[in-house]
Amino acid sequence: KEGETNPAAVTAASLRLPRAFQMLPEFFVDDVTELLLFTARVAERQPRFLVDENLDVFMTFLVVLMGCPDHVHNPYLRAKMVDVLHHWIPPIGASTHHPWVQKMSNIFDLHPIGTRMLVGHLLRLYVDIEFTGSNTQFYDKFNIRHHIGEILEYLWGIPVHQQSWKLFASEEAGGFYLKFVNMLVNDAIYLLDEGMKKLPEVRRTLEAMEDLQAWNRQPPQEQAERESALRQNEDLLRQDLLLANVHISLMEYTTVEITRSFLLPEMVERIATMLNYFLKYLVGPERKQLKVNNPEKYGWDPRKMLRQIVKIYMHLAAPLTGEGDQFATSVARDGRSFSEELFLEARGIVDRYALLSVEEMEAFDVFIEMEAF
């Protein structure tokens, strides 16, 4: 609609499609999406493949239908549209002078419908994919949300999309955006918790294999079973940490500007206990069990995660309102994981490895002082 800038106001009701479209079989939309996905994969290997094609109408097709379950009921088909957009994102570190990078950057930066609606529709699909009706929905949602998260991270770096996101979050703070934050926190808790539990298992098996004499005394069948279990745990660990990193990163960069939904009474204690729980894993006595050889093999970077967790603490404590104080109170009230010693240990590690800037260290010191009282 003319003059609308808030994607929260752009709903299926305001995107009235012809009744003839609603009568079309689903495979019409699926075929177009499959074609776009195929050409996107080809373009990654042959960048000039789509350089001269006008993709604006297809961007409209993807953005509009991806966020409208009334028009496309199948959530997996809408998720396939996310896959197309994920392939369209310019590669990190790619030269901005490359024709393909320029073309796709312009589409994301300048497409009039995309700049208004893309963030809102991605967030809606993030929520909608929770319940697909499939018997594999619990596991499917993580992979789909991983791609959504990577697209959102790219869009956050584009001012027009960031502004659209902030407006959406402001107007839907106690409604839809709160639902999104709740699912984001749920996913982060599950994925990180699973990763933290698997790291010691992988560590124990690898240490046992290093003692060749003891390892070879085991029956061959037992060795084979333990090696098979190790490979499975390593695969699951990689996947859990890959997905968890996207969720934690999303919380880190968005809470610089968007805090209201995180600080509402129904959410503030959950986010505080989550942060405390993982801070205890990262800097408490348990952290010794999280050390493994070649941590990069699993996507495990405890220093980076500690830096992100600390920054989220500071972002949520920063608002110059009672909400920031309420967050600090919720952190200190957590009887399961909170202790002042834990924050002092975190402060020492952060300082030792220079994980924060001078200004950030000062802000963290202020936060620790708040918790001490």
Side-chain angles (χ1 to χ4, degrees):
K1 291 182 180 181
E2 188 68 28
E4 280 186 346
T5 57
N6 178 13
V10 183
T11 63
S14 65
L15 292 169
R16 300 188 184 280
L17 296 181
R19 183 163 180 78
F21 178 88
Q22 299 175 10
M23 304 292 288
L24 289 174
E26 186 178 90
F27 70 79
F28 276 44
V29 176
D30 194 11
D31 286 350
V32 174
T33 307
E34 280 287 353
L35 176 63
L36 291 174
L37 190 56
F38 172 76
T39 57
R41 288 168 176 162
V42 172
E44 287 182 333
R45 299 190 299 272
Q46 303 176 31
R48 292 192 171 275
F49 181 65
L50 292 176
V51 165
D52 297 325
E53 301 297 329
N54 185 351
L55 300 179
D56 286 353
V57 66
F58 294 114
M59 184 67 163
T60 301
F61 169 86
L62 295 170
V63 172
V64 171
L65 297 184
M66 178 183 62
C68 293
D70 288 346
H71 300 319
V72 178
H73 302 302
N74 185 345
Y76 291 105
L77 177 51
R78 293 164 60 205
K80 194 180 294 185
M81 298 175 183
V82 171
D83 286 343
V84 176
L85 293 173
H86 190 258
H87 283 285
W88 280 7
I89 291 177
I92 297 174
S95 171
T96 56
H97 300 294
H98 195 289
W100 172 249
V101 173
Q102 286 182 338
K103 183 179 185 65
M104 302 321 297
S105 295
N106 287 339
I107 285 180
F108 283 104
D109 291 359
L110 305 174
H111 190 277
I113 293 178
T115 54
R116 287 167 48 204
M117 297 165 53
L118 181 52
V119 168
H121 282 192
L122 285 168
L123 295 177
R124 290 189 184 281
L125 182 56
Y126 185 102
V127 171
D128 290 347
I129 208 67
E130 180 78 13
F131 303 106
T132 65
S134 167
N135 59 357
T136 59
Q137 67 179 14
F138 180 78
Y139 301 100
D140 293 340
K141 68 179 182 180
F142 292 121
N143 291 324
I144 295 167
R145 286 174 174 173
H146 174 229
H147 280 175
I148 291 175
E150 291 191 332
I151 297 171
L152 288 171
E153 184 170 4
Y154 173 74
L155 296 178
W156 184 260
I158 302 174
V160 65
H161 286 287
Q162 186 179 136
Q163 186 59 36
S164 175
W165 192 335
K166 288 160 61 176
L167 182 60
F168 183 83
S170 175
E171 299 198 356
E172 292 284 324
F176 174 82
Y177 202 78
L178 177 62
K179 185 184 295 186
F180 162 71
V181 167
N182 182 58
M183 292 184 179
L184 180 68
V185 170
N186 286 344
D187 284 359
I189 291 173
Y190 173 79
L191 293 166
L192 273 176
D193 199 37
E194 287 295 300
M196 299 295 186
K197 290 175 180 176
K198 288 186 180 70
L199 275 165
E201 293 179 23
V202 169
R203 172 192 170 97
R204 285 193 293 270
T205 305
L206 290 174
E207 287 179 343
M209 293 175 70
E210 288 176 358
D211 186 348
L212 293 178
Q213 288 186 345
W215 183 261
N216 291 330
R217 284 197 296 268
Q218 299 175 104
Q221 183 177 352
E222 184 177 344
Q223 288 185 29
E225 288 174 354
R226 294 187 69 180
E227 288 172 355
S228 176
L230 173 63
R231 287 192 295 270
Q232 183 178 12
N233 279 333
E234 286 184 326
D235 289 342
L236 291 171
L237 177 60
R238 258 189 300 270
Q239 184 177 25
D240 287 340
L241 291 177
L242 174 69
L243 299 175
N245 287 335
V246 171
H247 287 72
I248 295 297
S249 292
L250 196 154
M251 278 191 268
E252 181 204 348
Y253 63 76
T254 57
T255 52
V256 174
E257 299 284 348
I258 301 169
T259 59
R260 187 178 167 197
S261 292
F262 291 91
L263 298 175
L264 289 174
E266 53 266 55
M267 182 55 65
V268 65
E269 289 196 8
R270 288 196 63 226
I271 190 71
T273 55
M274 181 198 80
L275 294 172
N276 287 348
Y277 179 62
F278 291 117
L279 185 70
K280 186 177 180 179
Y281 258 120
L282 291 169
V283 304
E286 296 92 344
R287 73 176 186 266
K288 296 179 181 179
Q289 300 300 317
L290 305 180
K291 292 182 179 180
V292 290
N293 292 329
N294 302 318
E296 61 278 358
K297 174 182 177 182
Y298 310 108
W300 174 232
D301 188 344
R303 294 178 191 173
K304 177 184 176 182
M305 185 160 290
L306 175 60
R307 180 175 67 245
Q308 291 176 318
I309 295 289
V310 167
K311 285 188 175 183
I312 296 171
Y313 274 118
M314 294 189 295
H315 296 163
L316 295 179
L320 300 177
T321 66
E323 293 174 334
D325 291 339
Q326 180 60 38
F327 171 70
T329 301
S330 297
V331 169
R333 198 162 49 202
D334 173 23
R336 183 177 67 166
S337 303
F338 173 79
S339 72
E340 185 181 347
E341 292 75 18
L342 206 62
F343 280 85
L344 293 175
E345 182 68 21
R347 200 253 183 235
I349 295 172
V350 167
D351 186 38
R352 187 183 317 144
Y353 295 106
L355 302 181
L356 298 175
S357 67
V358 174
E359 294 78 11
E360 289 169 336
M361 280 297 296
E362 291 174 353
F364 190 39
D365 286 338
V366 170
F367 180 72
I368 293 174
E369 290 176 8
M370 291 172 61
E371 298 305 321
F373 293 97

